[in-house]
Amino acid sequence: MRRAAVGLVALAALIIPAPVASAGPPSTKGDDKVIELPGASSAEGIAEGEGTTFFAGDLFKGDIYRGDTRRGTARLFIDVPDGRMAVGMKVDVENGLLFVAGGTTGQAYVYDTGSRKTVATYQLTRDPAFINDVAVTDDGAWFTNSTKGELYFVPVDRHGKPGDDVRTLTLKGPAAETPADFNLNGIAAVRGGRTLILAHSANEALYTVEPGSGETADSAKITGASLPYVDGIVVKGNTLWAVQNMINQVSRVRLDSRLDSFEVKDVITSPDFQVPTTAALFGDTLAVVNAKFGVQGASKYEVVLVDAR
């Protein structure tokens, strides 16, 4: 509990700029559907499950919610042990596993989406860290650390069982830069997991990394417009959605086939956005979670459904 409390104070001090504190309550006049996470005390991550199911997390309590975008409902799904956090998350649908980044704990958690039990807990690093987001591949899951230029890989065997041999990948090049308190952030796996796309909040940029099997990997910038406050990312084909938290928008960008450059094709906004952080894609609908960092008097947390196009 002490580490989670320290994490709350540290996170608030690091990422909440003063102007956001004057933001008002969510609009009730828009056409976008808003799904409340009942009883949540904070929020940050969301992940696509099977069908229209989504999972979202209570950032500082670590609890997991399960909801349905078609029904427009959500409820508490896993009441986790004290001391955990829930930042970015992704679902391995085939194996029924939910991978969750543990923020300042330096940990990662794996939950069984059927039994609700904790399958595994990993101490990815014992150095000061903010384990921020996760991407799932056919053979495991990659986690980002916002305070250090490195990634962590948790393997999953052919039977769907997470392994014990966690791998640390030290990045080289611009993605490894740490000019601010929050640097590496969102992550997505493409090309069958052979390439990772990383969002870098401080550099307002996107990068590619080919992790291979070594202990280090070079990063390369995907050239394009700057993406201020870039947070979570979602990729499908050559389209990438970049959530930009403090400016309450999601940029839809088109990636070139070689992942060398991108072009912003649209900017998605909603009167119901209140510091959105991550998103999950359901067909033509984007489910975006409100973190409400710096919003005075925030007592409810929601998922906002918007048109992805």
Side-chain angles (χ1 to χ4, degrees):
M1 284 296 291
R2 178 181 178 278
R3 293 197 71 175
V6 171
L8 188 153
V9 174
L11 185 64
L14 292 176
I15 67 175
I16 301 174
V20 181
S22 62
S27 166
T28 58
K29 298 180 180 180
D31 295 329
D32 303 323
K33 182 185 292 183
V34 177
I35 304 173
E36 183 181 344
L37 304 176
S41 63
S42 57
E44 211 278 351
I46 189 169
E48 176 188 357
E50 190 171 9
T52 55
T53 299
F54 70 84
F55 296 87
D58 190 318
L59 173 59
F60 295 115
K61 284 186 177 180
D63 291 340
I64 305 299
Y65 287 78
R66 183 173 68 180
D68 189 291
T69 59
R70 179 177 57 83
R71 296 177 181 174
T73 59
R75 63 183 177 87
L76 181 64
F77 184 62
I78 306 175
D79 185 0
V80 309
D82 291 346
R84 296 188 183 182
M85 295 180 70
V87 196
M89 57 184 65
K90 291 292 188 302
V91 177
D92 177 345
V93 174
E94 181 178 352
N95 295 311
L97 300 175
L98 173 65
F99 293 83
V100 180
T104 59
T105 67
Q107 297 176 338
Y109 313 107
V110 186
Y111 300 102
D112 187 308
T113 59
S115 68
R116 310 185 190 191
K117 293 181 179 179
T118 302
V119 175
T121 298
Y122 297 94
Q123 191 68 51
L124 301 179
T125 178
R126 295 193 179 277
D127 294 333
F130 192 87
I131 309 304
N132 201 322
D133 208 352
V134 54
V136 169
T137 69
D138 289 339
D139 56 357
W142 287 97
F143 292 83
T144 60
N145 183 349
S146 291
T147 66
K148 197 170 184 178
E150 59 188 25
L151 307 176
Y152 311 96
F153 181 71
V154 172
V156 175
D157 67 21
R158 61 188 181 91
H159 303 293
K161 181 180 178 181
D164 297 324
D165 189 17
V166 176
R167 172 184 161 206
T168 299
L169 182 70
T170 301
L171 300 181
K172 298 185 293 182
E177 296 173 358
T178 55
D181 293 310
F182 275 72
N183 303 285
L184 289 176
N185 200 325
I187 182 172
V190 298
R191 295 173 174 169
R194 298 187 305 276
T195 301
L196 303 174
I197 298 179
L198 305 175
H200 197 295
S201 297
N203 288 354
E204 304 179 354
L206 301 173
Y207 298 99
T208 57
V209 172
E210 295 184 4
S213 58
E215 296 181 353
T216 61
D218 293 316
S219 61
K221 184 176 181 179
I222 307 177
T223 58
S226 63
L227 297 171
Y229 297 108
V230 63
D231 199 324
I233 58 175
V234 179
V235 179
K236 182 179 181 181
N238 62 355
T239 301
L240 179 148
W241 291 264
V243 184
Q244 294 169 269
N245 52 40
M246 296 300 176
I247 53 177
N248 290 313
Q249 67 181 39
V250 180
S251 287
R252 179 172 61 84
V253 311
R254 187 176 186 86
L255 302 163
D256 81 327
S257 60
R258 299 181 62 181
L259 301 182
D260 290 332
S261 63
F262 72 84
E263 180 183 1
V264 176
K265 304 299 289 186
D266 191 19
V267 174
I268 301 168
T269 61
S270 169
D272 295 302
F273 281 169
Q274 285 198 298
V275 194
T277 46
T278 57
L281 184 65
F282 296 86
D284 291 331
T285 298
L286 205 62
V288 185
V289 66
N290 276 334
K292 298 190 178 181
F293 296 139
V295 176
Q296 292 181 340
S299 60
K300 295 181 180 181
Y301 294 85
E302 315 87 16
V303 171
V304 182
L305 305 183
V306 296
D307 187 346
R309 298 293 175 176

